[in-house]
Amino acid sequence: MSSAEPKNKGAVKGGNGKYIFNLPTLQRMDAGVGYSSAEGPVVEGERIQVGLISMKSGTGARPHTHPNEQWIYLLQGKARMSVDGQPETIGGAGTLIYLPANIVHYIQALPGEDVVFFTCKDMSHGIMGKAVDGTMAGPHIDQGIVK
């Protein structure tokens, strides 16, 4: 393994003798500063980064992109999502989402229950993307939801 330093501030670096992780107990980090409420522990390898990410009920990501491809597997809660301008879909535990590089997408937790998902991204870029509108105006928050 090359670098002992993670690419993402707050992530844990795998390798160099560290190979097994209790993901839910690791330090949490913001995974979408400026455009998403996503946060949770992230572990990086040399080519893949993984995270156990949460979004509070009624919050989530505004439309955004990132230059690395991503997989999301919903473990808990229900979310609305759209990928590449396709119609919005509601998904729950067991839903698998494929996000090609540089494709506009969003995922937002429905009111009533937090969303938890496992995610994998290649290491060509960090865990965070960039909002399509170019602002760092914060995450999506449903009307009536108190931060």
Side-chain angles (χ1 to χ4, degrees):
M1 301 265 159
S2 59
S3 171
E5 292 298 314
K7 181 178 255 185
N8 302 291
K9 184 178 180 182
V12 173
K13 186 73 174 172
N16 294 325
K18 293 189 268 178
Y19 305 110
I20 299 171
F21 303 89
N22 186 342
L23 198 52
T25 67
L26 297 179
Q27 174 182 317
R28 301 175 76 81
M29 61 174 276
D30 289 330
V33 174
Y35 69 92
S36 178
S37 62
E39 57 89 23
V42 174
V43 178
E44 299 177 3
E46 290 302 309
R47 296 184 182 139
I48 299 170
Q49 55 193 319
V50 300
L52 183 60
I53 306 299
S54 301
M55 290 187 280
K56 298 284 186 198
S57 167
T59 72
R62 293 185 291 120
H64 65 283
T65 64
H66 34 77
N68 42 355
E69 75 177 346
Q70 178 179 17
W71 289 92
I72 291 175
Y73 183 74
L74 294 178
L75 298 168
Q76 173 188 312
K78 289 192 175 180
R80 65 181 158 260
M81 61 204 78
S82 178
V83 179
D84 197 22
Q86 293 185 353
E88 190 171 84
T89 301
I90 304 296
T95 301
L96 180 64
I97 307 157
Y98 172 59
L99 304 166
N102 301 308
I103 295 296
V104 176
H105 62 279
Y106 64 83
I107 182 169
Q108 300 162 349
L110 295 179
E113 185 178 8
D114 295 352
V115 163
V116 178
F117 59 85
F118 181 77
T119 189
C120 300
K121 278 185 171 178
D122 70 68
M123 286 296 296
S124 64
H125 185 75
I127 199 79
M128 293 184 224
K130 184 175 181 180
V132 171
D133 67 8
T135 71
M136 298 296 278
H140 165 84
I141 301 175
D142 284 347
Q143 286 188 332
I145 301 292
V146 179
K147 278 195 343 185

